[in-house]
Amino acid sequence: MSCSPTLIIAILVCSLILAAGCTGPAVTAVPAVPTPAGIMLESLVLTPSEVPQNFTLHESRAKNSTDVGKLARDLGWKQGYVVRFIRSPEGVPGQTEILQTITLYPAKNIPAIAELLEKQERSDKNMLFSNLSSPTLGRYSRAFSGTINTPMISEADNGNPLSSGPVGGTVQQDFVEIIFSKGDILEVLRMNGPGADYSTLVSLAQTAYNKIP
């Protein structure tokens, strides 16, 4: 039985197409790149219902590399998020502020970063600093307070590894602060101004710590 030249050519073309399909590289879907540690930092922030009454959410935003200094980037800064609540106490001048800063660093660098951060936070010669009892949140938690000697204007320090970025001059106020970490998450909770209370801050820090997987 003879085959027409046209049929033979069609068979050869089909064979080549099938062979190419079998030997060519497999096509697979490219998965979305997850955030480091698979954590959305925004999910770790304190919510208005978790802070004391009469505090109003004033700021909630992700940070990018332009919000932090070269030192932070050199130490392995990956991501950051900051949230700020403000309250104006009745009959007392000034505002009370709760500031939560969440940052993602390589876990192996966090002990050195936490130590450096505390050293920088306590470097203002216009303030008196005191150690506070550790809230024992994770392996590297620490707490301290600062009391002003003379009120003055201070500029934001972008060299601070956890600086929330250039925000201009601010009036110095008494504060309490807690630094803690879990895995590759490093957090700072700070309460400034009249009404800054360490027991309140410890409760907030425990709530924040429990949010970290």
Side-chain angles (χ1 to χ4, degrees), residues 160-194:
N160 186 321
L162 290 177
S163 172
S164 59
V167 294
T170 58
V171 178
Q172 286 183 308
Q173 295 179 305
D174 295 351
F175 72 89
V176 289
E177 181 167 314
I178 296 173
I179 303 171
F180 62 90
S181 68
K182 185 176 183 181
D184 48 9
I185 298 293
L186 178 63
E187 292 200 32
V188 174
L189 274 176
R190 180 176 174 127
M191 198 169 184
N192 302 320

Side-chain angles (χ1 to χ4, degrees), residues 6-21:
T6 302
L7 180 59
I8 293 173
I9 292 172
I11 293 172
L12 290 174
V13 171
C14 289
S15 298
L16 290 173
I17 292 173
L18 290 173

Side-chain angles (χ1 to χ4, degrees), residues 16-198:
L16 290 173
I17 292 173
L18 290 173
C22 293
T23 60
V27 178
T28 57
V30 179
V33 178
T35 58
I39 298 173
M40 298 295 292
L41 297 189
E42 186 176 1
S43 67
L44 306 182
V45 302
L46 295 168
T47 65
S49 64
E50 293 169 330
V51 300
Q53 290 184 347
N54 300 323
F55 275 90
T56 302
L57 180 62
H58 183 73
E59 178 185 17
S60 181
R61 66 179 180 89
K63 299 197 293 182
N64 57 48
S65 59
T66 62
D67 290 323
V68 298
K70 182 178 182 298
L71 175 59
R73 296 191 296 271
D74 289 345
L75 291 169
W77 183 93
K78 297 178 182 179
Q79 293 185 42
Y81 203 94
V82 60
V83 62
R84 189 189 312 265
F85 299 89
I86 291 178
R87 179 184 69 188
S88 297
E90 292 185 6
V92 179
Q95 293 181 321
T96 303
E97 176 187 81
I98 296 171
L99 178 67
Q100 179 188 19
T101 306
I102 309 170
T103 309
L104 192 65
Y105 281 100
K108 65 180 181 180
N109 293 348
I110 283 183
I113 293 167
E115 182 177 350
L116 176 61
L117 173 61
E118 180 179 2
K119 182 178 180 180
Q120 290 182 328
E121 294 282 73
R122 301 176 70 148
S123 64
D124 191 336
K125 295 180 180 179
N126 192 52
M127 304 195 78
L128 298 175
F129 299 97
S130 301
N131 293 326
L132 300 174
S133 57
S134 171
T136 62
L137 300 174
R139 297 178 59 188
Y140 307 110
S141 63
R142 55 198 69 199
F144 55 95
S145 64
T147 305
I148 58 172
N149 288 325
T150 305
M152 62 180 294
I153 301 295
S154 65
E155 294 294 330
D157 179 9
N158 206 37
N160 186 321
L162 290 177
S163 172
S164 59
V167 294
T170 58
V171 178
Q172 286 183 308
Q173 295 179 305
D174 295 351
F175 72 89
V176 289
E177 181 167 314
I178 296 173
I179 303 171
F180 62 90
S181 68
K182 185 176 183 181
D184 48 9
I185 298 293
L186 178 63
E187 292 200 32
V188 174
L189 274 176
R190 180 176 174 127
M191 198 169 184
N192 302 320
D197 176 68
Y198 182 57

